[in-house]
């Protein structure tokens, strides 16, 4: 995958205003436009207004605060992966939000007696059991500290350096999908009627029987369609379109948020009850979570966004560093790191953000 530096393309050169924690194009626009709610067929065009010029409630702008509008941001990672902790600490610091660490779990640390009904050692790999337990610990922690909500993240993530501009628009989309007027006061920027928000995944589908879409058009933080061929739902929409919708069946649990109500439902469904009919956590944690969102189990209300806002980064160096669940080939090495779906990768622009330079690495032309 080739990279370009934005200094090679002056028309889209960025300027950084750290006081406002904004990243803006020279004309004052960031490329994210106000969305609109669409039901049924995708629009041929979507006239819209720049977000900065629209009246936006202060509580929706809190989606760009130091916890991205949630009470906590919890990062799960194995204690020994100090390389990832260093990276996540720097990335979040450079882009303006705070994380708290929860130790990941290895499957061998989980007692057989602690497994829920439907999960059997041998049917699930030790890595899947450890991943499941790590996520359940994070969900339980939300209830233990009586948090109203938390964004739960895995420790190999990347995101666009303009994340603080993306999140308020995502919040507006969640409110629309939840049928909450933008001018109705709520405790959360995302509204108060959701269980799971899923901004970091590796793909989703539109849900059956629900045509609600919140369309964000002309969004140059979106990768060109040529670089996201597996996001089939976007095929009929113009380039640079992002869509917030009820979750269909996302895969990968890179970054998802739970409300307190959602944490209660998930702790019982995925941690205590299990699911004998579907094999419990014999399937990976993200698959089970997707099934419950898809089925609406416990009236679970899940909202997704495509393209996603967070994605797994594949770093330069030995490929066996990519995952703590799937063992890579240590004999193979990657010369240049990359992150699918992310245009201005934070991981690839850390030096530029530290130095305050504008020669940002851009993964694709937009």
């Amino acid at each position: 995958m080739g990279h370009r530096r934005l200094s090679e393309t002056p028309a889209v050169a960025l300027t950084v205003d750290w006081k406002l924690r904004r990243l803006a194009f020279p004309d004052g626009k960031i490329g994210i436009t106000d969305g609109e709610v669409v039901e049924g067929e995708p629009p041929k065009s979507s006239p819209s207004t720049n977000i900065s010029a629209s009246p936006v409630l202060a509580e929706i702008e809190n989606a760009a605060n130091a916890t991205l509008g949630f009470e906590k941001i919890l990062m799960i990672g194995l204690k020994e992966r100090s390389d990832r902790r260093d990276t996540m600490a720097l990335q979040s610091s450079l882009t303006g939000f705070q994380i708290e660490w929860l130790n990941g779990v290895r499957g061998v640390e989980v007692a057989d007696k602690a497994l829920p009904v439907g999960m059997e050692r041998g049917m699930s790999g030790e890595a899947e059991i450890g991943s499941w337990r790590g996520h359940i610990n994070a969900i339980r922690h939300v209830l233990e500290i009586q948090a109203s909500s938390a964004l739960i993240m895995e420790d190999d993530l990347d995101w666009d350096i303009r994340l603080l501009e993306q999140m308020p628009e995502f919040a507006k989309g969640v409110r629309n999908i939840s049928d909450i007027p933008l001018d109705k006061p709520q405790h959360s920027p995302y509204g108060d009627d959701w269980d799971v928000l899923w901004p970091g995944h590796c793909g989703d589908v539109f849900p059956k029987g629900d045509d609600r879409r919140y369309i964000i058009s002309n969004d140059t933080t979106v990768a060109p369609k040529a670089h996201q061929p597996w996001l089939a739902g976007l095929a009929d929409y113009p380039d640079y379109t992002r869509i917030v919708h009820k979750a269909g069946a996302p895969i990968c649990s890179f970054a998802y948020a739970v409300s307190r109500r959602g944490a209660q439902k998930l702790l019982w469904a995925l941690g205590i009850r299990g699911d004998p009919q579907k094999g419990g956590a014999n399937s990976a944690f993200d698959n089970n979570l997707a099934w419950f969102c898809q089925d609406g189990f416990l009236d679970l209300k899940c909202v997704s966004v495509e393209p996603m806002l967070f994605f797994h980064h594949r770093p330069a160096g030995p490929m066996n560093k990519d995952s703590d669940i799937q063992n890579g080939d240590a004999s193979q090495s990657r010369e240049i790191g990359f992150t699918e779906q992310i245009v201005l990768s934070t991981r690839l622009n850390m030096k530029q953000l530290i130095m305050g330079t504008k020669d940002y690495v851009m993964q694709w032309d937009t």
Side-chain angles (χ1 to χ4, degrees):
M1 178 180 297
H3 295 159
R4 290 187 60 126
R5 293 189 178 275
L6 279 181
S7 58
E8 300 171 8
T9 322
V12 291
L14 295 175
T15 60
V16 181
D17 181 348
W18 287 113
K19 186 175 182 181
L20 296 177
R21 294 195 308 173
R22 295 284 189 231
L23 289 99
F25 284 100
D27 61 3
K29 298 180 180 180
I30 60 163
I32 302 178
T33 59
D34 276 348
E36 60 176 340
V37 182
V38 176
E39 297 186 4
E41 293 299 318
K44 293 182 179 179
S45 63
S46 181
S48 51
T49 308
N50 180 261
I51 187 174
S52 62
S54 302
V56 180
L57 292 177
E59 64 184 43
I60 294 178
E61 287 288 350
N62 284 336
N65 69 14
T67 53
L68 302 180
F70 306 100
E71 187 167 339
K72 297 285 184 181
I73 299 179
L74 305 175
M75 183 80 70
I76 304 172
L78 292 173
K79 189 175 182 179
E80 62 266 28
R81 288 302 301 266
S82 57
D83 57 325
R84 290 186 172 181
R85 296 198 178 208
D86 293 345
T87 302
M88 291 296 100
L90 182 54
Q91 284 187 205
S92 59
S93 173
L94 290 170
T95 47
F97 64 92
Q98 302 168 351
I99 59 176
E100 297 181 21
W101 282 96
L102 295 177
N103 287 335
V105 180
R106 293 198 177 277
V108 294
E109 301 172 14
V110 181
D112 290 346
K113 292 180 180 180
L115 300 177
V117 174
M119 180 187 292
E120 300 176 10
R121 198 177 299 276
M123 294 292 291
S124 293
E126 293 295 337
E128 284 75 18
I129 291 176
S131 175
W132 161 79
R133 186 66 249 176
H135 282 281
I136 294 300
N137 285 354
I139 292 167
R140 185 183 71 192
H141 185 68
V142 174
L143 300 179
E144 290 174 334
I145 64 175
Q146 300 184 41
S148 60
S149 64
L151 178 63
I152 300 171
M153 308 172 79
E154 296 179 349
D155 66 348
D156 53 359
L157 282 184
D158 197 5
W159 50 87
D160 198 287
I161 63 176
R162 297 163 289 184
L163 179 66
L164 295 186
E165 292 288 356
Q166 296 171 322
M167 294 302 289
E169 194 65 30
F170 176 50
K172 292 165 69 177
V174 174
R175 283 182 176 231
N176 272 280
I177 297 302
S178 304
D179 298 321
I180 297 172
L182 294 182
D183 59 356
K184 182 177 181 179
Q186 299 280 281
H187 294 93
S188 167
Y190 305 92
D192 298 336
D193 192 25
W194 57 272
D195 295 310
V196 177
L197 305 181
W198 211 323
H201 52 81
C202 17
D204 196 2
V205 295
F206 290 146
K208 295 181 180 178
D210 192 323
D211 291 332
R212 291 174 298 168
R213 310 281 187 265
Y214 182 79
I215 309 299
I216 306 168
S217 62
N218 303 317
D219 181 352
T220 55
T221 71
V222 172
K225 289 167 66 175
H227 297 284
Q228 48 186 3
W230 60 90
L231 297 181
L234 297 176
D236 295 329
Y237 290 86
D239 255 322
Y240 315 119
T241 299
R242 198 182 304 276
I243 303 175
V244 182
H245 59 86
K246 179 183 176 183
I251 53 174
C252 304
S253 48
F254 297 146
Y256 62 96
V258 295
S259 64
R260 184 181 302 174
R261 183 184 73 188
Q264 292 169 340
K265 293 178 181 181
L266 294 182
L267 185 57
W268 183 72
L270 294 173
I272 298 172
R273 172 185 178 268
D275 189 354
Q277 293 181 345
K278 288 196 171 87
N282 284 332
S283 297
F285 170 83
D286 61 316
N287 289 340
N288 281 294
L289 179 55
W291 279 326
F292 285 131
C293 283
Q294 184 180 60
D295 295 346
F297 184 64
L298 298 177
D299 193 28
L300 200 64
K301 296 181 178 180
C302 308
V303 181
S304 181
V305 57
E306 298 181 85
M308 57 294 291
L309 301 177
F310 300 89
F311 206 87
H312 168 65
H313 178 73
R314 301 185 185 278
M319 291 188 184
N320 67 335
K321 296 176 64 174
D322 287 359
S323 175
D324 292 318
I325 296 178
Q326 300 174 349
N327 294 322
D329 187 347
S331 67
Q332 295 186 354
S333 184
R334 184 179 296 112
E335 184 176 348
I336 300 175
F338 69 94
T339 309
E340 298 171 59
Q341 304 294 337
I342 306 300
V343 177
L344 289 176
S345 156
T346 300
R347 181 66 176 266
L348 298 178
N349 283 290
M350 290 193 289
K351 179 181 178 182
Q352 289 84 344
L353 292 172
I354 290 169
M355 299 303 296
T357 60
K358 302 174 185 178
D359 57 335
Y360 294 108
V361 174
M362 191 176 195
Q363 295 203 97
W364 311 278
D365 289 328
T366 59

